Amino acid sequence: MFLKLFTVFFFFFNLLFQSQETTSQSTNFTYNDGFNPPTDLSLQGITTVTPNGLLKLTNYTVQKTGHAFYTKPIRFKDSPNGTVYSFSTTFVFAIHSQIPILSGHGIAFVVAPNPSLPYATASQYIGLFNITNNGNDTNQVFAVELDTIRSTEFNDTDDNHVGIDINSLKSERTSLAGWWDEKGQFKNLTLISRKPMQVWVDYDGRTHKIDVTMAPFNEDKPRRPLVSVVRDLSSVIRQDMFVGFSSATGSVLSEHFILGWSFRVNGEAPPLALSRLPKLPRFEPKRISDFFKIGMPLISLFLIFCFIFLICFLVRRRRKFAEEMDEWEKEFGKNRFRFKDLYYATKGFKEKDLLGTGGFGSVYKGVMPGTKLEIAVKRVSHESRQGMKEFVAEIVSIGRMSHRNLVPLLGYCRRRGELLLVYDFMPNGSLDKYLYNTPEVTLNWKQRIKVILGVASGLFYLHEEWEQVVIHRDVKASNVLLDGELNGRLGDFGLARLYDHGSDPQTTHVVGTLGYLAPEHTRTGRATTATDVFAFGAFLLEVTCGRRPIEIKHETDETFLLVEWVFALWNKGNILDAKDPNMGYECDEKEVEMVLKLGLLCSHPDPRARPSMRQVLQYLRGDAKLPDLSPSDFSGSGMILGLQDGFSELGMSYSSSVFKGFTGGSIADSLLSGGR
Ligand SMILES: *[C@@H]1O[C@H](CO)[C@@H](O)[C@H](O)[C@H]1NC(C)=O
Ligand SMILES: *[C@@H]1O[C@H](CO)[C@@H](O)[C@H](O)[C@H]1NC(C)=O
Ligand SMILES: *[C@@H]1O[C@H](CO)[C@@H](O)[C@H](O)[C@H]1NC(C)=O
Ligand SMILES: *[C@@H]1O[C@H](CO)[C@@H](O)[C@H](O)[C@H]1NC(C)=O
Ligand SMILES: *[C@@H]1O[C@H](CO)[C@@H](O)[C@H](O)[C@H]1NC(C)=O
Ligand SMILES: *[C@@H]1O[C@H](CO)[C@@H](O)[C@H](O)[C@H]1NC(C)=O
Ligand SMILES: *[C@@H]1O[C@H](CO)[C@@H](O)[C@H](O)[C@H]1NC(C)=O
């Protein structure tokens, strides 16, 4: 009983002693979060720790070794002559070489008597031994090599193997790098694949079995080890040893990395927290990385420039094609043209396509992109928005008119400070080209009377046949266009109204053309059908005589008034002397005389004495006979004085210095209206 009790006591004592002993000699460490700062690590050769914590055993330097040792000694035995304890280690490594198919000489896990291997050489010696001490038992080095070069002097079978080395690079046992999966299938691994891989080294102190196991990153430890050998390490490993890594480069530039490491004596190495390990740098082929280093900024710069250019282009384009559109315009939508279309139709309003610069703006020829319809586009600059609505409404209503003696108005477009009117293109241009200043082509009387009749019926249509009275306000030869059959067509009607808004005479601005403006129009500022008739009278005279209503001689400052001149000739009894010598001899002199007299009648200073367009048309067609007028009829009615007054009044205005050098054309005649 006592003996039994003693035995039990002894057993417990023994157990306690043993466990105490075990505890004091067990060592473990783990590097999960990188090796930065390299605590308890001794770095030698070209080994460094990267800023993100990778243990970089070698860099791009040829024929160099690199070592990293845990600086604290590890107790492997309980006494110098004792047996080696079990130990276990695991680490994650990666090899990156400049050339994907070749590399430096690999990595070895080392257990060595000192925390350095000062005499070891590079290349095939992997920083473990040198040519003289390789294979000498006095080395007392245990290593597991991950060899990437086949060195025939060490009986290597290939250039991608894992070996267990004791004092020598001639391995005790080697295997092709790879792992055995759960189904017992062997799978190759390529050491220089640049991918991280995990290795486990386990030594069993009782069975003396050394196991080396390998697996791709993130795989669990395979159950079947890759290389195994039974060797008692007691003669190799001393009581206190140092553990670490060794690596060496040869002629190929390569980098060897350790990402994480744990070690333990008497027990399985603590598993690594793989997600916490530092990340490997991106291994791109150098050429591509250079390309990106130089190319990317250039490409980005180029793209930025393209983008800026595009924005500028779009903004400019937007500004260029900007239009104005008000709520009230919705109903006129189908009469509205897009500025962009007009821009393209006229090829950007080129000087080449300019048909003329007249009354209120320039006229350009164009061809509509879709329909190939020939158009004339008039650009009228107009700052004020006032009266625009009424004007556009009138334009649209005029657009609905269809009369063979009116230039068809197709529509309009409105922009900031500008109005564009789109007309049918008239191939023969404006009438004035055929009249004054020794024209290249002149018209004979037959053609002229046809034009006159056309214009008269057009004007009559505006005054009386259309649903409302439309006053043209700017009847004159340059506003009469000739179509393909030399029919006279009135253009530009109603345009003067844009400038002639406001019923308050105080603010009325007379618009029209000097020489065609009726005296009462300049006085009152009000346009009426009678003022149109007055202008038509001037038109009759200019077509028949081939002269402008007013001519100012630059040298003498002398003013020539066509009406006055014709009236004077009539007074002398030879009114036919006034006819244009350019219109040939084949003309009906009676008709010419009638037209001249009608011109004078229409130019009567008293609006009440002027005929209406209906009457004018009847006289011209011969449906009614022009009253048998004589100059004395004018004086007999007491109008001659008024007539002459009217003319001299005009003459004074024309010759006043303001209009010096003025030879016709349109004006916004605020000065005249101011002196009404
Ligand atoms: C590892 O070592 C530390 C002391 O460094 C100790 O506290 C811990 O218990 C050890 N862990 C194991 C599993 O041995
Ligand atoms: C490699 O590492 C060593 C030691 O840190 C350094 O002196 C050398 O310049 C490095 N070489 C290259 C190519 O980075
Ligand atoms: C260890 O062994 C050596 C020879 O093998 C011997 O000389 C030495 O005395 C031994 N030491 C102990 C403590 O047993
Ligand atoms: C090899 O290493 C040993 C020490 O282990 C040293 O004495 C010897 O000089 C070295 N030989 C060469 C060639 O470096
Ligand atoms: C092994 O190394 C020791 C010490 O460096 C030396 O004395 C011995 O001769 C070497 N043995 C062989 C076989 O080279
Ligand atoms: C190495 O290989 C050679 C030739 O195949 C052989 O003679 C030698 O015994 C081998 N050495 C070892 C250590 O296996
Ligand atoms: C593994 O590598 C060996 C030797 O390079 C080759 O013969 C074999 O086909 C490879 N197996 C696979 C599955 O790639």
Side-chain angles (χ1 to χ4, degrees):
M1 184 67 200
F2 179 77
L3 193 76
K4 205 173 179 185
L5 205 69
F6 180 80
T7 317
V8 170
F9 175 78
F10 183 80
F11 176 77
F12 273 107
F13 179 82
N14 204 9
L15 206 73
L16 191 74
F17 179 77
Q18 258 189 355
S19 79
Q20 253 180 355
E21 190 180 63
T22 311
T23 306
S24 68
Q25 270 144 19
S26 91
T27 311
N28 75 79
F29 60 80
T30 307
Y31 290 97
N32 265 327
D33 303 294
F35 298 86
N36 223 358
T39 334
D40 298 331
L41 275 186
S42 158
L43 308 180
Q44 295 144 31
I46 56 172
T47 299
T48 52
V49 173
T50 65
N52 75 330
L54 290 166
L55 180 59
K56 189 174 177 181
L57 292 169
T58 70
N59 60 14
Y60 276 173
T61 322
V62 293
Q63 306 289 352
K64 284 278 190 278
T65 62
H67 296 122
F69 279 98
Y70 189 67
T71 48
K72 291 179 183 162
I74 310 283
R75 177 137 298 190
F76 279 96
K77 300 176 177 179
D78 55 1
S79 68
N81 284 2
T83 56
V84 174
Y85 300 140
S86 296
F87 64 87
S88 167
T89 188
T90 182
F91 58 92
V92 174
F93 76 96
I95 299 174
H96 166 235
S97 99
Q98 193 184 25
I99 308 165
I101 51 158
L102 263 182
S103 160
H105 286 261
I107 300 174
F109 165 74
V110 199
V111 182
N114 297 300
S116 68
L117 292 163
Y119 299 106
T121 50
S123 292
Q124 68 267 39
Y125 294 96
I126 322 182
L128 292 172
F129 308 110
N130 64 32
I131 190 161
T132 51
N133 70 2
N134 184 38
N136 192 323
D137 287 343
T138 61
N139 288 329
Q140 297 202 285
V141 168
F142 167 78
V144 173
E145 64 169 35
L146 308 165
D147 198 345
T148 58
I149 300 277
R150 184 181 178 192
S151 311
T152 44
E153 68 257 50
F154 309 140
N155 281 12
D156 285 351
T157 52
D158 56 75
D159 61 358
N160 185 42
H161 61 268
V162 179
I164 298 169
D165 297 348
I166 294 169
N167 294 327
S168 171
L169 284 158
K170 278 186 185 158
S171 306
E172 296 292 313
R173 188 69 54 91
T174 69
S175 167
L176 205 61
W179 60 295
W180 297 92
D181 69 8
E182 294 139 26
K183 294 172 200 145
Q185 205 80 34
F186 182 76
K187 290 187 171 163
N188 286 356
L189 285 173
T190 307
L191 296 175
I192 61 170
S193 64
R194 301 174 175 183
K195 292 185 185 119
M197 286 168 266
Q198 191 167 2
V199 174
W200 293 263
V201 179
D202 300 287
Y203 175 70
D204 189 321
R206 278 186 300 112
T207 61
H208 307 149
K209 188 162 177 261
I210 306 164
D211 284 334
V212 178
T213 317
M214 208 183 155
F217 192 66
N218 269 332
E219 285 288 342
D220 288 339
K221 182 181 181 180
R223 238 179 287 144
R224 180 169 166 185
L226 180 65
V227 198
S228 292
V229 70
V230 177
R231 271 292 301 265
D232 186 0
L233 291 178
S234 299
S235 63
V236 181
I237 293 179
R238 298 180 189 172
Q239 187 174 20
D240 293 309
M241 296 282 270
F242 295 87
V243 292
F245 294 96
S246 174
S247 181
T249 58
S251 321
V252 180
L253 300 181
S254 40
E255 296 170 324
H256 298 94
F257 296 99
I258 303 292
L259 288 73
W261 181 27
S262 75
F263 182 88
R264 184 173 171 193
V265 174
N266 283 326
E268 191 158 341
L272 296 176
L274 298 182
S275 59
R276 277 159 61 186
L277 303 188
K279 297 282 171 290
L280 282 170
R282 218 171 243 287
F283 300 129
E284 298 289 350
K286 205 169 159 37
R287 254 180 308 131
I288 288 185
S289 78
D290 269 1
F291 169 78
F292 273 94
K293 231 180 268 168
I294 302 162
M296 276 313 279
L298 283 180
I299 288 170
S300 332
L301 213 67
F302 177 75
L303 286 179
I304 288 169
F305 271 113
C306 282
F307 188 70
I308 291 171
F309 183 80
L310 191 77
I311 294 282
C312 288
F313 176 78
L314 287 178
V315 165
R316 272 189 55 187
R317 193 186 152 89
R318 219 187 139 81
R319 203 173 294 160
K320 190 160 136 188
F321 295 136
E323 294 173 19
E324 276 195 350
M325 175 74 111
D326 283 339
E327 195 60 27
W328 53 262
E329 273 181 276
K330 291 237 168 85
E331 54 177 305
F332 308 131
K334 67 182 185 346
N335 295 89
R336 223 189 128 110
F337 279 75
R338 293 201 315 165
F339 182 70
K340 205 163 116 185
D341 293 340
L342 298 181
Y343 186 87
Y344 287 127
T346 58
K347 299 190 188 78
F349 297 102
K350 287 259 165 58
E351 206 65 22
K352 189 165 66 68
D353 290 323
L354 187 66
L355 290 173
T357 313
F360 302 94
S362 306
V363 184
Y364 296 86
K365 190 192 165 175
V367 178
M368 281 311 276
T371 54
K372 302 282 173 239
L373 181 72
E374 286 192 309
I375 54 167
V377 182
K378 183 159 204 151
R379 292 185 86 164
V380 183
S381 74
H382 180 75
E383 289 305 332
S384 153
R385 300 167 74 109
Q386 205 190 342
M388 186 54 93
K389 182 176 174 179
E390 292 74 19
F391 180 72
V392 167
E394 195 167 311
I395 289 285
V396 169
S397 103
I398 287 168
R400 286 192 282 123
M401 288 181 188
S402 106
H403 188 275
R404 60 195 291 270
N405 295 109
L406 298 177
V407 178
L409 177 74
L410 304 176
Y412 76 103
C413 173
R414 212 158 63 82
R415 305 185 72 208
R416 199 184 158 81
E418 192 177 38
L419 183 73
L420 294 104
L421 299 172
V422 184
Y423 297 97
D424 253 357
F425 176 69
M426 293 288 124
N428 283 318
S430 59
L431 178 62
D432 57 339
K433 279 196 304 193
Y434 302 88
L435 294 180
Y436 323 128
N437 308 335
T438 54
E440 282 169 37
V441 184
T442 60
L443 302 175
N444 62 29
W445 177 247
K446 265 215 170 89
Q447 290 166 322
R448 290 188 199 207
I449 194 74
K450 184 174 153 191
V451 170
I452 287 171
L453 262 167
V455 172
S457 80
L459 199 54
F460 171 60
Y461 177 80
L462 291 180
H463 285 183
E464 293 185 32
E465 287 183 322
W466 179 241
E467 52 201 45
Q468 77 215 43
V469 176
V470 176
I471 297 167
H472 186 289
R473 289 158 206 259
D474 206 10
V475 178
K476 58 178 174 178
S478 60
N479 273 345
V480 171
L481 297 160
L482 299 182
D483 65 13
E485 290 136 23
L486 291 177
N487 285 311
R489 283 172 177 249
L490 253 178
D492 258 3
F493 33 83
L495 203 56
R497 170 152 169 86
L498 183 59
Y499 293 88
D500 193 12
H501 43 69
S503 52
D504 179 6
Q506 287 302 119
T507 62
T508 299
H509 291 217
V510 175
V511 177
T513 306
L514 217 53
Y516 301 88
L517 282 171
E520 83 277 7
H521 189 183
T522 57
R523 268 200 305 273
T524 63
R526 199 168 301 123
T528 60
T529 52
T531 60
D532 267 359
V533 172
F534 183 90
F536 183 73
F539 168 75
L540 286 179
L541 296 182
E542 73 178 322
V543 173
T544 315
C545 306
R547 300 185 74 162
R548 294 179 193 280
I550 300 174
E551 288 168 14
I552 296 169
K553 296 204 173 65
H554 287 271
E555 316 84 59
T556 58
D557 241 9
E558 218 175 286
T559 311
F560 167 84
L561 289 178
L562 182 58
V563 192
E564 226 169 36
W565 180 66
V566 176
F567 189 75
L569 286 174
W570 186 29
N571 232 342
K572 284 189 229 156
N574 41 6
I575 191 169
L576 278 172
D577 286 356
K579 77 171 191 203
D580 189 350
N582 282 335
M583 77 192 171
Y585 298 101
E586 276 183 41
C587 58
D588 183 343
E589 297 206 327
K590 273 211 148 57
E591 204 173 27
V592 174
E593 190 177 331
M594 186 270 286
V595 170
L596 285 170
K597 285 181 183 168
L598 181 59
L600 287 176
L601 186 61
C602 291
S603 302
H604 202 288
D606 183 357
R608 287 165 302 176
R610 294 173 208 151
S612 69
M613 279 318 290
R614 180 186 292 273
Q615 287 170 311
V616 167
L617 209 53
Q618 283 169 351
Y619 297 145
L620 286 173
R621 285 182 179 151
D623 294 347
K625 211 168 142 20
L626 188 69
D628 203 9
L629 295 164
S630 72
S632 55
D633 286 336
F634 282 75
S635 61
S637 66
M639 291 307 295
I640 188 70
L641 198 67
L643 179 73
Q644 278 169 343
D645 272 359
F647 289 144
S648 55
E649 185 183 295
L650 274 173
M652 265 168 61
S653 307
Y654 300 146
S655 56
S656 77
S657 61
V658 180
F659 299 110
K660 228 173 239 176
F662 187 79
T663 56
S666 297
I667 50 155
D669 194 358
S670 56
L671 277 157
L672 274 183
S673 77
R676 87 203 130 83

